Amino acid sequence: MTLLMQIKNLTTRFYTDDGIVHAVNEISYEMDAGETLGVVGESGCGKSVHALSIMRLIQTPPGKIEKGEVWFDGRDLMKLPESKMRKVRGGEIAMVFQDPMTSLNPVYKIGFQIMEALKLHKGMDNNQARERAEELLILVGIPEAKQRLDDYPHQFSGGMRQRAMLAMALSCDPKLLIADEPTTALDVTIQAQIVDLVKRLQEKLGMAVMWITHDLGVVADLARRINVMYAGYIVERG
C-alpha cells in the first residue's frame, strides 16, 4: 500500500474564558491510499476537531493548532501557505459534515453550489460544470438529476441533501474523503443507503475514506482500521 497521509503529534487547544480546552493531544497515525479508516469515540472526544485541524479549518481565536505535522502526498499541510491550502481543500481532501442543512447555502441552487467547486478547482466553464454536476447527482443516486440542479436545499429531503453534499465533495476527485458523522441526522434506512453509497463510490473511484462516527455498527461494515478516541487522545487502535 502507498502511504497517503501521516500525522505526527497533532495538538489543538481552545482558549476560552473558562480555561484551556485540550481538544486534541499529540495524536499520530498513518493512512494508506484507498483505505477506509474509522475514527470512533463519544461526543466531545475530539474526533471532529482533529479532522478540522487536518483541513486547517479551526477557528482562530479561540482555537489554535499548537503543533504537529500532517504529511499529505509529500507535503506538510501545516506549513503550506493559505493560498495553496485552499487548493488542497475540496481539490485533494474533501469533507462531508454532520448536518447538510448548515453546510449547504440555503439561498443558492444545488447546481450552482456543485458547479462553483468545479469551476474553482477544475477550471471548467458553465456548460462543462453543469454537465459534470448532473453526472455527479446521477452518481450519488438522485433521480431526475437535470431538473434537481435547479432546486434549492430546502426542496431536498435530509437523505437527498446528504447525497448532494457527497456529490459536491466528490466533484474534484479527492484522494481523501473525510466523512464527519454524515448519517447522524438521518433515519436508519437512509443511514444504510448513505453508508452503502460511500462504499460503492470508494470502490469505483479508489479514494481513501476517513469515517468519523460514535456508532461502531457503522464502521464495522466499512473500515479496515479503527482509531478509538477519548478525551483528545487515541486510546486504542486495531
Side-chain angles (χ1 to χ4, degrees):
M1 296 290 268
T2 356
L3 188 65
L4 177 70
M5 182 168 72
Q6 186 178 27
I7 293 177
K8 299 178 187 172
N9 301 324
L10 186 62
T11 303
T12 304
R13 307 255 183 278
F14 288 93
Y15 295 89
T16 68
D17 296 341
D18 300 328
I20 299 171
V21 180
H22 297 261
V24 175
N25 301 300
E26 301 212 0
I27 62 172
S28 303
Y29 63 87
E30 292 176 352
M31 205 172 164
D32 291 329
E35 88 157 312
T36 306
L37 174 77
V39 179
V40 295
E42 61 187 21
S43 296
C45 72
K47 304 186 297 292
S48 299
V49 173
H50 119 273
L52 291 168
S53 300
I54 292 170
M55 302 279 274
R56 280 188 24 206
L57 289 172
I58 295 291
Q59 200 175 348
T60 317
K64 188 174 179 224
I65 299 169
E66 291 285 334
K67 62 172 184 175
E69 299 168 23
V70 177
W71 288 92
F72 184 82
D73 240 18
R75 296 155 304 173
D76 182 2
L77 299 186
M78 295 297 128
K79 292 199 171 75
L80 281 190
E82 183 57 33
S83 56
K84 290 211 167 115
M85 194 59 206
R86 271 196 209 114
K87 290 196 169 78
V88 173
R89 282 188 213 116
E92 296 176 53
I93 306 177
M95 194 159 176
V96 180
F97 296 95
Q98 281 183 19
D99 180 11
M101 208 47 201
T102 52
S103 312
L104 290 165
N105 192 323
V107 298
Y108 290 116
K109 293 174 178 173
I110 293 283
F112 174 84
Q113 296 189 54
I114 299 174
M115 285 160 66
E116 197 178 22
L118 290 165
K119 288 184 201 166
L120 184 73
H121 290 292
K122 294 280 188 196
M124 293 183 177
D125 63 28
N126 256 339
N127 294 339
Q128 291 170 319
R130 193 177 168 86
E131 215 167 277
R132 178 72 180 131
E134 191 188 328
E135 283 169 18
L136 285 158
L137 288 190
I138 293 166
L139 182 71
V140 296
I142 291 180
E144 294 169 3
K146 199 169 194 160
Q147 289 79 22
R148 300 308 305 250
L149 284 173
D150 295 317
D151 283 350
Y152 289 94
H154 71 267
Q155 293 170 280
F156 278 46
S157 67
M160 296 275 253
R161 282 198 289 267
Q162 204 51 288
R163 284 168 188 262
M165 280 294 298
L166 266 172
M168 207 182 292
L170 299 174
S171 61
C172 299
D173 309 315
K175 295 172 185 164
L176 171 63
L177 174 71
I178 300 177
D180 186 3
E181 307 217 20
T183 57
T184 304
L186 309 174
D187 62 47
V188 181
T189 43
I190 308 288
Q191 272 188 21
Q193 286 172 13
I194 297 287
V195 171
D196 195 47
L197 175 66
V198 172
K199 239 185 186 160
R200 284 208 315 275
L201 291 172
Q202 182 185 19
E203 280 163 21
K204 190 171 177 177
L205 307 171
M207 60 186 172
V209 176
M210 182 190 296
W211 195 283
I212 298 172
T213 180
H214 56 256
D215 185 347
L216 276 166
V218 170
V219 287
D221 284 355
L222 278 168
R224 193 170 69 90
R225 284 194 289 189
I226 291 181
N227 288 341
V228 181
M229 284 189 74
Y230 179 76
Y233 293 92
I234 291 178
V235 289
E236 202 179 340
R237 62 186 73 198

